[in-house]
Amino acid sequence: VINNMEVFIMKIIALSGKMGVGKDYIADKLIARLHENKLDVERLAFADPLRMELDDIVRMIKCYDTPLTMAKKMQVSENEIRQLIEIFDTEPTFSRPDFSLRNRPLRYRELMQYWGTDVRRKHDKNYWTQKIINIITDNAPFVDVFVVTDVRFYNELKALLEFDNTFTVRVNADEKLREQRVTNRDDVTPTESELNHASELAMDDNDDEIMSLFDLVVVSTGNNGNEIVDKIMKNWNAKTNKKMVVENL
């Protein structure tokens, strides 16, 4: 019984999709709906610890740490740090005292993709996954629902599915609409390199094995957010209630 109680405390709704499909837009509406249902919700993203780590590196750069010193602190190669610094050097707002990745600078996507995937995931594909799993595990007794907003890789999806009562949603959208959304939000058009980066293509919508892991697939048109949340809530409740009946037999 105690194990069952622990299972039902730890509910996860995971959103997956390419850039610009509207994951954060849907998450905002979903979390508001969950709050209406008197549920304690924690919003998580694999990008959260990535942004924090990059902001730590920004502080090192502005404190004039050498590339070698930073490489030792971050346990990566000096060349990887130098390449990261080169990207920062092309960022027009980098010299501002309040510069932060949370403000989504012009080189935001390039910085996140390079450090998150080309460096950290290259060394350990579970680097970011483990950080999110630790947060979920540590906070499970105090949270009713975790909403994870940016599942981009197969191993991230599989890791979340290791928890009982994980509900997975794949969000799709028209390619031109996605690019326009990103341009409107970030004030910069995504490059071909960014659109075809591993973090965008790893979850292939034509891969039946991957798609079978999603409980729900929805298409975002930009004005059907409430309809999508209705579908998520209906299907999530149905799966959760079915699971609860089985566990209590």
Side-chain angles (χ1 to χ4, degrees), residues 171-189:
V171 184
N172 293 322
D174 176 76
E175 184 175 349
K176 291 187 181 300
L177 176 62
R178 290 195 301 107
E179 292 181 28
Q180 190 57 53
R181 282 174 173 169
V182 174
T183 302
N184 292 343
R185 181 190 63 197
D186 300 340
D187 200 29
V188 60
T189 301

Side-chain angles (χ1 to χ4, degrees), residues 74-86:
M74 306 309 294
Q75 297 183 316
V76 298
S77 73
E78 183 178 357
N79 184 56
E80 287 168 332
I81 289 292
R82 289 187 180 279
Q83 289 185 54
L84 180 64
I85 292 173
E86 287 178 7

Side-chain angles (χ1 to χ4, degrees), residues 219-234:
V219 177
S220 173
T221 62
N223 57 9
N224 65 337
N226 290 327
E227 177 185 332
I228 289 174
V229 170
D230 288 341
K231 289 182 180 179
I232 293 173
M233 293 296 292
K234 178 181 178 181

Side-chain angles (χ1 to χ4, degrees), residues 33 52 63 75 91 141 238:
R33 186 76 61 86
M52 291 175 62
C63 287
Q75 297 183 316
E91 168 55 48

Side-chain angles (χ1 to χ4, degrees), residues 15-210:
L15 304 179
S16 172
K18 297 180 179 181
M19 70 168 81
V21 298
K23 298 185 297 295
D24 286 322
Y25 165 73
I26 292 168
D28 288 342
K29 289 183 173 294
L30 175 61
I31 291 169
R33 186 76 61 86
L34 293 167
H35 283 156
E36 289 174 6
N37 284 272
K38 311 300 181 186
L39 294 170
D40 291 323
V41 183
E42 182 167 351
R43 181 180 189 141
L44 296 175
F46 289 95
D48 291 340
L50 169 54
R51 280 188 291 261
M52 291 175 62
E53 193 162 288
L54 281 170
D55 279 339
D56 286 341
I57 294 173
V58 168
R59 285 188 282 273
M60 293 181 206
I61 295 172
K62 295 196 173 186
C63 287
Y64 301 103
D65 282 11
T66 67
L68 180 58
T69 298
M70 286 188 281
K72 289 180 178 179
K73 287 181 180 178
M74 306 309 294
Q75 297 183 316
V76 298
S77 73
E78 183 178 357
N79 184 56
E80 287 168 332
I81 289 292
R82 289 187 180 279
Q83 289 185 54
L84 180 64
I85 292 173
E86 287 178 7
I87 301 174
F88 275 122
D89 284 343
T90 65
E91 168 55 48
T93 65
F94 185 64
S95 61
R96 295 179 183 174
D98 61 345
F99 177 85
S100 170
L101 270 293
R102 291 200 171 276
N103 296 329
R104 301 187 75 93
L106 292 176
R107 295 291 180 269
Y108 173 83
R109 184 74 56 180
E110 185 179 1
L111 288 162
M112 295 284 283
Q113 289 181 339
Y114 171 72
W115 189 254
T117 302
D118 302 344
V119 176
R120 284 304 191 194
R121 277 186 60 90
K122 184 184 74 173
H123 291 289
D124 178 4
K125 70 176 183 178
N126 292 314
Y127 184 84
W128 304 115
T129 303
Q130 192 57 55
K131 289 181 180 294
I132 292 299
I133 296 307
N134 290 344
I135 293 172
I136 292 174
T137 303
D138 291 345
N139 291 283
F142 317 107
V143 177
D144 293 319
V145 185
F146 294 93
V147 176
V148 184
T149 64
D150 63 343
V151 180
R152 290 181 175 275
F153 290 95
Y154 179 75
N155 69 303
E156 296 173 350
L157 182 62
K158 290 289 285 184
L160 293 176
L161 286 169
E162 289 296 315
F163 292 104
D164 286 292
N165 276 355
T166 295
F167 186 81
T168 55
V169 183
R170 179 67 175 180
V171 184
N172 293 322
D174 176 76
E175 184 175 349
K176 291 187 181 300
L177 176 62
R178 290 195 301 107
E179 292 181 28
Q180 190 57 53
R181 282 174 173 169
V182 174
T183 302
N184 292 343
R185 181 190 63 197
D186 300 340
D187 200 29
V188 60
T189 301
T191 65
E192 283 298 315
S193 175
E194 291 168 346
L195 290 169
N196 293 301
H197 190 262
S199 58
E200 290 297 307
L201 303 180
M203 301 282 276
D204 186 352
D205 290 300
N206 295 315
D207 188 317
D208 292 338
E209 180 183 355
I210 291 176

